[in-house]
Amino acid sequence: MTTTYPFSAIVGMDGLRLALLLNAVSPAVGGVLVRGEKGTAKSTAVRAIASLLPEVDVVAGCRFSCDPATPDPSCPDGPHEPGTGEARPARMVELPVGASEDRLVGALDIERALSDGVKAFEPGLLADAHRGVLYVDEVNLLHDHLIDLLLDAAAMGASYVEREGVSVRHAARFLLVGTMNPEEGELRPQLLDRFGLTVEVAASRDTEERVEVVRRRLAYDEDPEGFAARWAADEEALRERIAAARALLPRVALGDRALRQIAAVCAGFEVDGMRADIVTARTATALAAWAGRTDVRTEDVRGAALLSLPHRRRRAPFDAPGLDEDKLDEILRQFEEDEPEPDPDPGPEDGPGGSGPDDPGGPEGGPREGAGDGGREQAPPAEPEPSVPDQRTGEHETADRETDSAPADHDGGPGEADGGAGGAGGERAAVGAAEPFRTRRLDVPGLGEGAAGRRSRARSAHGRTTGARRPRGTLSALHLSATVRAAAPHQLARGRRGPGLLVRRDDLREAVREGREGNLVLFVVDASGSMAARKRMSAIKGAVLSLLLDAYQRRDKVGLITFRGADAELALPPTSSVDTAAARLERLPTGGRTPLAAGLLKAREVLRVERLRDPARRPLLVVVTDGRATEARRSGGPTPVERAGRAARMLAGDGVASVVVDCESGPVRLGLAGALAHELRGTPVTLDELRADSVTALVRDVRTVSNPRRAA
């Protein structure tokens, strides 16, 4: 059996450890979302907390871990009579990113249900995690429908499985912990809100602390059992403190004054809905119980807000989670001035700086977790409690975009694209994007089979039923009428005598459904001198930002290629992090010549590699340019426009669906972007036509050609 790394041996990570401990004390807090860069011990901490949870009493033989004192009346393995059970450790169940819906919620044996009328149910991971920990690594990479099922079960404390009129319900109460790397994509704000607490983690920049991390990890890898034995006393002390806090929790009083503080803080930060208030109240109560007190104080409200509100302030897709601690302190200070009241439970130990039994502390903090302890294994007599980390990010700081040296708005002529004789010269500072707008939907033609999303038509597990077929593997979506039609002609031959339908496995048919898929939207943006006029580039960036917002909402992967000067650059490899693409776009400088052919060839190479990595995800190429091509030309070689046309025809031959956003403006227009769209066999769209409320947009569609090699 693998020995788990001790929770009390984790160095630093105060906020993460505190959030996990509070959920262990009160699972009603609603779980933890851990955000951070790779290699920051997120998974280690989560796996370690499970070993600290108290043992649970379960009904012997029950696959759903029913409590023998209060068994679930709707348990599929029931009914159970109240009585004594058996004790076992709390489980930690991991949900893989590639798990299916049936693996998560369980599956019904449809054949037995139809032929025998028996609810033969195979439990899923939600049943295994009941009264334990459900850990979802890379939760931001899960399919949306799995996240919805997971969070609904966490909110209701039960899981429901419905298959063609046959339903099963079982209890599913667990400590939900998710980890994610924001660079790989964000969760939608609606899903972020379903996690009780959030914590940002990052590797320490303190040399001594990093040394201690490495020292302990090497010691653990060399002798896991011996390392765990050295921390056994600290682990046992933590278990006892968690059990004591759980026992104290029902007696903690959340007074009216604390409730008013919580309401003032949530209203002051303008969080949506009431879940923030409820979670903050539960967290403040758990903090008081963890500190050994029966009253909730101002420091509990402050600590709870730092854990429960940062991710709920993500009001727009590109907003960064965070909480302004100065503003939080000001709200609490203002509340004290407006409504002064004496401490409801004064005592010698009151006040945040006091000592004694109410002073937060425990074996999981102190010098053992800090730097410079020299690896000593002796537990100090008194240790401070992990504090909530500084998550102060403040509001987004917007640089003064009117201070750069770009000229006034004008369309310029051919000479402007050259950027001077130096080719790459004439670089201008980045300008900010204009206000984004709602764009029309750009679809990839045909019927795909890619990852679930909201853009193009695709065969999927969810959507409208369009037909039936024989099952491919485990049957999950029964097509009832098709199954009955397949079984009906054989009833006499099978000796049917009663009213029941005799169904065999060969009769089963699964539903074929059509939904929507997410695509790879690859942006190729012209950043040359011909695009550098201030208002013009601001409008272009606003359009691309609008398309990025649309890609975020439709669950696409995105990539960004820019071309200027002498070559093209892959500014952002294809990723699910639309936020990163928006940040790269904001910093994009302009100037120099226009190597349009290089940009298109770079796009073709990127799409070729991505096709090998994920052949099911179909691409949509979005070229943002005025169609001009100006670059150094070899004597006797093709012109830049001819080279661009050749590259465009190569992309068209690959069957890539494309859109050309025509950025040309002014009274005299050359129509070069339209010619490029013709070579790509795609759709030309002006900036005005890109808006969803454009009349022209109602009659346009993305055009493409079939790949002749695929057709063959």
Side-chain angles (χ1 to χ4, degrees):
M1 181 177 178
T2 303
T3 302
T4 304
Y5 191 92
F7 188 84
S8 52
I10 296 172
V11 179
M13 315 293 285
D14 292 343
L16 172 57
R17 291 185 294 119
L18 179 60
L20 291 172
L21 289 168
L22 292 178
N23 273 272
V25 171
S26 176
V29 166
V32 185
L33 175 65
V34 187
R35 298 164 45 89
E37 57 196 22
K38 54 186 177 294
T40 50
K42 300 187 296 292
S43 300
T44 299
V46 174
R47 294 187 176 99
I49 191 64
S51 63
L52 297 179
L53 298 179
E55 289 188 337
V56 294
D57 292 328
V58 298
V59 174
C62 178
R63 297 174 297 167
F64 301 87
S65 302
C66 280
D67 186 345
T70 56
D72 182 7
S74 60
C75 175
D77 284 355
H80 304 300
E81 293 295 331
T84 59
E86 58 184 17
R88 64 159 176 80
R91 294 173 180 160
M92 195 199 76
V93 178
E94 296 193 38
L95 173 62
V97 171
S100 65
E101 180 179 339
D102 286 346
R103 184 70 186 100
L104 176 63
V105 301
L108 289 168
D109 189 330
I110 301 297
E111 183 178 4
R112 290 190 63 190
L114 288 176
S115 58
D116 302 334
V118 176
K119 292 184 181 180
F121 181 69
E122 184 66 28
L125 295 177
L126 292 179
D128 293 341
H130 180 46
R131 304 175 69 196
V133 179
L134 181 59
Y135 172 45
V136 188
D137 193 14
E138 306 294 351
V139 64
N140 52 326
L141 302 184
L142 279 180
H143 291 311
D144 282 356
H145 71 283
L146 290 182
I147 296 176
D148 292 337
L149 290 170
L150 176 66
L151 297 180
D152 284 345
M156 296 185 296
S159 175
Y160 295 85
V161 183
E162 302 282 347
R163 291 289 188 275
E164 302 296 339
V166 181
S167 64
V168 171
R169 176 205 171 276
H170 64 83
R173 291 183 294 275
F174 45 81
L175 170 57
L176 175 64
V177 183
T179 58
M180 60 175 283
N181 184 348
E183 294 178 355
E184 297 174 340
E186 286 282 1
L187 285 172
R188 302 196 311 269
Q190 298 90 335
L191 299 182
L192 281 172
D193 185 55
R194 301 301 290 271
F195 282 93
L197 310 180
T198 187
V199 180
E200 296 277 350
V201 296
S204 173
R205 298 299 183 258
D206 181 86
T207 301
E208 293 301 323
E209 190 165 306
R210 295 174 74 97
V211 167
E212 186 60 24
V213 170
V214 176
R215 180 183 291 120
R216 294 186 186 183
R217 185 69 207 191
L218 292 178
Y220 169 77
D221 292 341
E222 183 179 348
D223 182 11
E225 290 80 10
F227 185 84
R230 291 195 294 273
W231 291 89
D234 291 346
E235 294 287 279
E236 184 60 30
L238 271 180
R239 289 191 191 93
E240 293 176 358
R241 187 174 178 188
I242 291 173
R246 280 190 172 188
L248 181 63
L249 186 66
R251 295 190 283 117
V252 175
L254 182 65
D256 187 67
R257 183 169 181 271
L259 281 173
R260 290 181 179 277
Q261 285 180 315
I262 292 169
V265 169
C266 294
F269 282 104
E270 300 179 347
V271 294
D272 294 331
M274 296 300 298
R275 185 174 284 116
D277 302 63
I278 296 171
V279 171
T280 305
R282 289 172 175 166
T283 306
T285 303
L287 274 167
W290 179 247
R293 288 185 272 102
T294 57
D295 63 297
V296 175
R297 302 178 180 176
T298 299
E299 59 264 31
D300 300 324
V301 174
R302 185 183 189 278
L306 288 174
L307 292 170
S308 64
L309 296 187
H311 58 305
R312 293 186 167 88
R313 295 198 64 247
R314 183 180 165 88
R315 304 177 66 86
F318 300 140
D319 288 347
L323 200 68
D324 187 342
E325 292 190 42
D326 290 336
K327 182 177 179 180
L328 173 60
D329 292 335
E330 179 62 28
I331 294 173
L332 292 174
R333 189 182 307 112
Q334 186 66 37
F335 180 87
E336 296 286 346
E337 294 173 356
D338 293 344
E339 193 175 347
E341 289 186 16
D343 194 310
D345 186 20
E349 69 284 346
D350 65 342
S355 60
D358 287 357
D359 185 33
E364 76 288 354
R368 253 186 211 284
E369 314 309 327
D373 64 346
R376 295 189 301 271
E377 303 300 335
Q378 295 82 12
E383 302 175 353
E385 179 186 7
S387 59
V388 179
D390 183 2
Q391 301 191 39
R392 184 179 310 176
T393 60
E395 300 296 327
H396 292 292
E397 294 182 2
T398 304
D400 184 1
R401 295 166 181 153
E402 302 301 325
T403 60
D404 62 65
S405 57
D409 183 32
H410 65 289
D411 195 36
E416 182 186 36
D418 296 343
E427 179 175 315
R428 292 160 182 167
V431 299
E435 188 70 21
F437 52 84
R438 189 168 65 89
T439 66
R440 49 177 285 201
R441 186 172 69 197
L442 305 174
D443 295 343
V444 177
L447 193 63
E449 294 184 347
R454 299 179 179 180
R455 183 172 297 278
S456 305
R457 295 174 54 231
R459 298 184 183 91
S460 66
H462 301 272
R464 63 186 183 90
T465 302
T466 59
R469 66 185 178 192
R470 292 183 181 274
R472 299 178 180 178
T474 303
L475 177 65
S476 58
L478 177 73
H479 196 296
L480 183 59
S481 59
T483 300
V484 172
R485 288 196 301 269
H490 308 290
Q491 297 305 295
L492 293 178
R494 294 173 183 173
R496 172 185 169 187
R497 296 293 183 267
L501 186 69
L502 298 181
V503 179
R504 295 180 179 174
R505 182 164 295 277
D506 290 343
D507 302 327
L508 298 178
R509 298 293 184 270
E510 67 178 4
V512 176
R513 293 172 176 168
E514 181 179 310
R516 293 279 174 180
E517 67 177 358
N519 299 110
L520 167 59
V521 182
L522 182 61
F523 294 91
V524 181
V525 181
D526 185 348
S528 65
S530 65
M531 311 283 284
R534 173 182 295 277
K535 291 183 180 179
R536 187 177 177 193
M537 195 62 198
S538 178
I540 292 167
K541 284 188 176 182
V544 178
L545 187 65
S546 303
L547 290 168
L548 284 171
L549 178 59
D550 182 69
Y552 170 87
Q553 294 169 338
R554 301 192 187 283
R555 315 307 290 165
D556 295 318
K557 290 181 67 175
V558 298
L560 178 63
I561 293 173
T562 63
F563 58 93
R564 56 182 290 272
D567 205 355
E569 175 190 4
L570 180 58
L572 180 69
T575 175
S576 297
S577 180
V578 180
D579 302 62
T580 305
R584 300 283 174 89
L585 176 70
E586 190 73 15
R587 298 192 298 266
L588 179 65
T590 57
R593 296 181 185 272
T594 313
L596 177 56
L600 296 176
L601 292 175
K602 174 68 75 172
R604 186 170 187 251
E605 175 63 20
V606 170
L607 293 178
R608 183 188 67 82
V609 173
E610 288 300 311
R611 192 176 295 117
L612 296 175
R613 291 176 177 172
D614 189 358
R617 189 181 289 271
R618 297 186 295 163
L620 175 63
L621 181 67
V622 179
V623 184
V624 184
T625 182
D626 58 6
R628 292 174 177 153
T630 58
E631 55 183 303
R633 178 185 176 188
R634 296 179 180 178
S635 177
T639 66
V641 173
E642 291 171 342
R643 291 188 61 203
R646 183 182 303 172
R649 289 191 293 274
M650 293 170 67
L651 282 164
D654 291 340
V656 177
S658 59
V659 176
V660 177
V661 180
D662 186 355
C663 301
E664 192 173 28
S665 61
V668 179
R669 305 193 181 191
L670 304 178
L672 296 176
L676 176 65
H678 177 75
E679 297 286 4
L680 285 167
R681 300 186 185 180
T683 301
V685 180
T686 66
L687 290 177
D688 289 337
E689 293 170 346
L690 193 61
R691 295 179 178 272
D693 54 1
S694 169
V695 176
T696 310
L698 299 177
V699 295
R700 285 188 177 274
D701 194 10
V702 178
R703 292 171 294 166
T704 189
V705 294
S706 300
N707 187 339
R709 288 177 292 185
R710 291 180 181 175

